[in-house]
Amino acid sequence: MLRSDELKQEIEAKRAEVDRYQRAEEIDKASKAADELKTMWNELNITLTMEKTDLEQFRADVSKMPVAETQDKAKLWIRAFNKMLLNPLRNVPLALTDAEREVFYNVSGSPGAPGQIESVPARGGYLVSPEQMKTLQVFRQDYTALKDHVSVVSTKTTSGRWPVMPIHNLRFQPFAEMTDIAESDVTFTEATYTIADQGLIIPISNQLIDDADVDIVSIIGRDLAAAAVRTENEAILEPLNTLIVGSTAAGIASATTITSYKALNTALFKTLDGVYEPSSKIYVNQDTFLWLANLDDGTNRPLFVPDVTDPNKYRYRGKEIVKIPNTVLGNTTVGNDTFAPIYVGDMRAYLTFFERKGLELSSSREYLWRKYAFALMGIIRFGVVVTDPNAMIALKVKLT
């Protein structure tokens, strides 16, 4: 194992230690552990530099290999992908070269080489490669993606059932020799999921058709990532919103109104089942975030503190606070009263996100035939199911 890999494991362990101290509100120990974490990061950077130097020396040793063996496969893949994606728009389709065909197809000559590209003839589209999906993942980091907070399951079917085992208060039972052990009543349930198609159409300049090497996914990647995050967030929040958001006073009354940090403590450490509390988080919108930021303990000490390992994150009583824009998680008005939502609990236990891997792209000129442009259609497929309704609770703060 490389030294850098060992250091990464040690860093993860130290990060968990810092998180444990923060949860226990042992700030001094957390700060000391955070300093140790910074030292470990510095050592990792130095180690990676040294390992990179060794790798560059290795590459120099093999640089005399034939050009055909060291040709840039990433560029070949992009060129092949562009040809197949954009050929329907060209008067004269461009054929794949032998090198492009080798990258694009697997040994049997059928689309779908692992890590390459998969044709979807029924829809006339193509799945982007894992490398391009990594580009989209980088863009996703600019947004609050609730998908990162739930359980994610990959599936190859459009519908199905998923086994779910609820929390049981099991205990070992005392027994005497040669006597029966008392049986525990354990029940299993099933979560039924359905995968839905989600589509997006983006206009693209015709000038890109003639540029064989342009990476189209990189150009429209930020728009694709933002659209995917918005769509996923809305689907994930929909079952949560049913706990609090409604068009009537009865819908709002289903959530407990809190007016102080003590009420929030009660919800977090008593109302929420203790089995979920260690891994729970607090989900708020911008207005609730501001309300939390203004809380103090009566001696002007804020209860809302930054994470010592990440200044862009905040915690309350050791629990991470996830801020969601008001445009995604809005307030609700009933009569003259406006309420801001707070969700507390373990989102991974509460909800499961079922997805069919990949982003499918296809092209069309007819959609924008009046303009000097063509259209790219992107399709993602997923479904969300509540698997443990007891893992989250809804609260609200009265703003006006």
Side-chain angles (χ1 to χ4, degrees), residues 200-214:
L200 173 69
I201 294 178
I202 300 178
I204 301 292
S205 170
N206 274 339
Q207 295 175 346
L208 292 181
I209 297 178
D210 300 324
D211 191 343
D213 294 328
V214 66

Side-chain angles (χ1 to χ4, degrees), residues 88-331:
L89 309 177
R90 297 186 173 100
N91 295 326
V92 180
L94 300 178
L96 299 181
T97 64
D98 291 340
E100 292 166 353
R101 185 178 297 277
E102 182 180 356
V103 173
F104 185 77
Y105 291 101
N106 59 22
V107 177
S108 64
S110 61
Q116 308 293 333
I117 185 172
E118 181 177 350
S119 174
V120 188
R123 293 182 178 270
Y126 297 88
L127 293 180
V128 301
S129 71
E131 287 74 16
Q132 288 177 308
M133 289 301 293
K134 292 178 182 178
T135 299
L136 296 181
Q137 289 296 332
V138 172
F139 288 134
R140 287 175 65 95
Q141 295 176 6
D142 294 336
Y143 309 95
T144 300
L146 295 180
K147 180 182 174 183
D148 298 337
H149 296 265
V150 303
S151 297
V152 179
V153 175
S154 299
T155 177
K156 295 182 179 180
T157 60
T158 56
S159 62
R161 298 177 181 274
W162 186 257
V164 177
M165 182 177 178
I167 298 297
H168 297 94
N169 292 320
L170 302 180
R171 293 175 177 81
F172 285 91
Q173 301 293 334
F175 67 96
E177 189 174 352
M178 302 301 293
T179 62
D180 293 337
I181 301 176
E183 295 184 7
S184 298
D185 185 15
V186 178
T187 59
F188 290 86
T189 60
E190 289 183 328
T192 301
Y193 67 87
T194 301
I195 302 297
D197 293 351
Q198 309 284 345
L200 173 69
I201 294 178
I202 300 178
I204 301 292
S205 170
N206 274 339
Q207 295 175 346
L208 292 181
I209 297 178
D210 300 324
D211 191 343
D213 294 328
V214 66
D215 187 350
I216 292 178
V217 173
S218 293
I219 294 176
I220 64 174
R222 190 172 298 279
D223 288 330
L224 288 174
V229 169
R230 291 191 197 100
T231 306
E232 293 163 0
N233 284 353
E234 290 175 358
I236 291 171
L237 287 172
E238 184 176 354
L240 278 175
N241 287 341
T242 60
L243 299 176
I244 182 173
V245 176
S247 58
T248 65
I252 297 300
S254 61
T256 301
T257 301
I258 60 174
T259 58
S260 67
Y261 73 90
K262 293 182 179 180
L264 180 57
N265 291 346
T266 300
L268 185 59
F269 301 116
K270 182 178 179 180
T271 307
L272 182 68
D273 194 310
V275 72
Y276 306 112
E277 188 271 324
S279 54
S280 63
K281 296 181 181 180
I282 302 173
Y283 298 86
V284 300
N285 68 5
Q286 291 169 279
D287 287 321
T288 324
F289 188 86
L290 177 61
W291 181 82
L292 288 172
N294 290 332
L295 290 179
D296 60 53
D297 62 358
T299 60
N300 294 325
R301 292 190 307 174
L303 299 171
F304 189 74
V305 296
D307 190 322
V308 295
T309 63
D310 188 344
N312 294 320
K313 292 183 179 180
Y314 286 85
R315 291 179 178 270
Y316 174 84
R317 299 300 191 191
K319 307 301 181 185
E320 181 182 348
I321 299 173
V322 181
K323 182 174 66 172
I324 305 169
N326 281 11
T327 53
V328 178
L329 180 59
N331 300 324

